Amino acid sequence: MIPARASMNLDELNFDLPPERIAQRPLVSRDASRMLLLDKATGEWHDRHFREFPDLLRGDELIVLNNARVLPARLFGRRVGIHAEPPGIHNPARHEHLQAPIEVLLVRQLAADTWETLVRPGRKITVGEKIIFGQGEREGELEAVTEGRGEYGLRVLRFSSSTGFQEALSRLGHIPLPPYIKRADEPADRERYQTIYARQGSAVAAPTAGLHFTPEILQRIRARSMEIAEITLDVGLGTFEPVRTQRLEDHKIHVESYEIPEATAQAIAQAQIEKRPILAIGTTVVRALEDAAEKAALHGSSTVSPGKSEAAIFLYPGKPLRVVNQLLTNFHLPQSSLLALVATLAGQENILRAYRHAVAAEYRFYSYGDCMLIR
């Protein structure tokens, strides 16, 4: 068990990462990634390959996947300028100001047609202003009105479309590749930035640990009669948002919606009774299960309840883990909430030593990169 800590500073989760270690594109084959096997008790690691994953398991693990589907959540539009403040009534730049290009990233769905979004540049987007999306014949196929403002560029937008929001988004939206991938999205990203078992939900980022799985890998797991369960967590701003406080426990993480099916809750309860390992495929699964367990504990229950909720939990060394004891995960940003989560399971010193080895051994980092199995 990782010992509890009274406090942890953000700079204790730092490591040097050369830019060339950040994967810009996926490998040709999903399961061709390298995998660092880390023993959380001893801190020892071994260099392996993800194709070995089914054979490295004990055989009695409960494997939990996040089946969330990534939306083409990045939109490019322009201001109509209804409520814009022009730089001057006689300024020749007024027309360009009112027609300024706008980038919108959907973050969290609030209602059928209303989303919390990140808008760039967002400083002068005022409440009541309209943004239109699309070009050429599709210009105006999707529109949005600003209904609220928040911190760090957050805006609440209400969308409207003559063809329906989801249809318009499918045609006009772009796959929201993370900002550390320094290229525009490509048609292939619609398939590769999506797990093969994605089925439902409205995530704006992929549960990237699942990107390594192929039908053959899943078949090999099932051939060993291992149990697989699923949850849905709509990955949102919590994945992108930097930690802005020096003390980790002061960070307020952005909430993300999740759903735990009845069958998954029962499978977790049974695995706990039988003292079998619960292996989360990705940090999003950890967040959903540990949030549900923390809420259950507040009501005196030791079991995860099924149903829908919003994950507000922030995991860092010193916080208890009630459900998950093994994790498959990609490599994360220095000083990030996801690195803090991983360190909660494996320990800060173990993780940083393993990460330094991964950098030296030229592992590929982040969403399209290699992975780590912690057990």
Side-chain angles (χ1 to χ4, degrees):
M1 177 180 292
I2 305 304
R5 294 185 49 158
S7 178
M8 175 176 275
N9 289 331
L10 183 62
D11 56 15
E12 294 180 72
L13 289 174
N14 201 12
F15 64 94
D16 293 325
L17 181 69
E20 60 268 22
R21 296 276 72 79
I22 301 172
Q24 297 297 306
R25 282 182 167 78
L27 297 175
V28 174
S29 300
R30 286 179 180 265
D31 61 357
S33 300
R34 298 169 70 191
M35 183 173 71
L36 188 63
L37 178 62
L38 177 64
D39 186 319
K40 65 178 187 285
T42 66
E44 294 181 358
W45 64 73
H46 299 277
D47 297 310
R48 310 301 287 257
H49 290 86
F50 180 74
R51 285 174 180 155
E52 302 175 78
F53 176 75
D55 303 319
L56 290 172
L57 302 179
R58 273 183 9 182
D60 63 344
E61 293 89 346
L62 170 62
I63 299 172
V64 186
L65 313 172
N66 180 7
N67 63 15
R69 186 162 190 82
V70 180
L71 294 175
R74 193 179 184 199
L75 290 161
F76 296 94
R78 63 177 178 84
R79 307 171 66 186
V80 174
I82 294 174
H83 289 272
E85 297 177 6
I89 191 69
H90 300 298
N91 192 317
R94 179 174 184 269
H95 177 74
E96 286 79 7
H97 175 81
L98 297 181
Q99 301 293 318
I102 296 293
E103 179 182 342
V104 172
L105 176 67
L106 305 181
V107 170
R108 185 165 64 104
Q109 189 169 21
L110 304 177
D113 60 352
T114 305
W115 283 76
E116 190 174 48
T117 67
L118 275 174
V119 178
R120 290 185 294 186
R123 184 170 59 88
K124 293 185 178 180
I125 301 297
T126 61
V127 173
E129 184 162 1
K130 182 184 289 187
I131 304 171
I132 64 173
F133 304 93
Q135 295 180 338
E137 295 180 355
R138 290 181 175 173
E139 185 177 62
E141 181 179 343
L142 181 65
E143 299 182 352
V145 175
T146 308
E147 295 202 332
R149 293 165 59 98
E151 294 182 326
Y152 309 119
L154 283 172
R155 299 291 183 269
V156 175
L157 299 184
R158 178 170 50 83
F159 291 88
S160 60
S161 173
S162 59
T163 61
F165 173 71
Q166 292 294 338
E167 289 187 22
L169 183 66
S170 178
R171 284 191 289 271
L172 302 177
H174 294 254
I175 289 297
L177 295 178
Y180 44 74
I181 293 182
K182 305 298 184 183
R183 63 174 175 84
D185 64 299
E186 300 167 355
D189 292 309
R190 286 219 171 195
E191 185 261 335
R192 289 305 301 272
Y193 196 64
Q194 197 86 260
T195 66
I196 63 166
Y197 47 77
R199 272 191 284 280
Q200 59 192 50
S202 52
V204 301
T208 54
L211 297 180
H212 306 282
F213 283 79
T214 64
E216 292 74 22
I217 291 289
L218 288 176
Q219 184 179 6
R220 286 169 57 195
I221 291 171
R222 293 189 174 105
R224 295 190 60 192
S225 300
M226 279 182 276
E227 189 175 11
I228 299 176
E230 298 183 4
I231 59 99
T232 305
L233 181 138
D234 290 331
V235 191
L237 189 59
T239 290
F240 299 105
E241 191 175 32
V243 178
R244 295 185 173 90
T245 60
Q246 183 57 32
R247 286 201 325 160
L248 280 176
E249 57 264 41
D250 294 336
H251 176 62
K252 183 176 175 57
I253 201 163
H254 204 270
V255 299
E256 295 172 314
S257 301
Y258 67 87
E259 181 175 6
I260 299 176
E262 176 72 38
T264 297
Q266 291 178 359
I268 290 168
Q270 189 62 35
Q272 289 178 314
I273 290 170
E274 297 171 355
K275 300 189 183 306
R276 292 159 47 212
I278 296 176
L279 169 54
I281 305 302
T283 55
T284 62
V285 173
V286 179
R287 194 154 184 240
L289 297 185
E290 294 299 331
D291 185 84
E294 183 175 80
K295 288 171 178 170
L298 292 175
H299 296 91
S301 175
S302 60
T303 60
V304 169
S305 299
K308 296 181 179 180
S309 188
E310 289 189 328
I313 195 169
F314 175 40
L315 294 166
Y316 56 89
K319 289 276 287 185
L321 287 174
R322 295 177 168 89
V323 178
V324 175
N325 40 46
Q326 296 188 6
L327 173 64
L328 179 76
T329 181
N330 281 20
F331 294 93
H332 303 292
L333 285 164
Q335 298 185 313
S336 64
S337 63
L338 297 182
L339 185 58
L341 183 155
V342 174
T344 308
L345 178 65
Q348 176 243 4
E349 292 184 3
N350 288 345
I351 283 296
L352 290 185
R353 280 198 299 265
Y355 267 54
R356 292 184 188 111
H357 165 72
V359 171
E362 299 187 352
Y363 276 72
R364 303 166 72 250
F365 272 65
Y366 305 158
S367 294
Y368 275 149
D370 297 316
C371 58
M372 169 186 282
L373 175 59
I374 304 170
R375 62 181 189 181

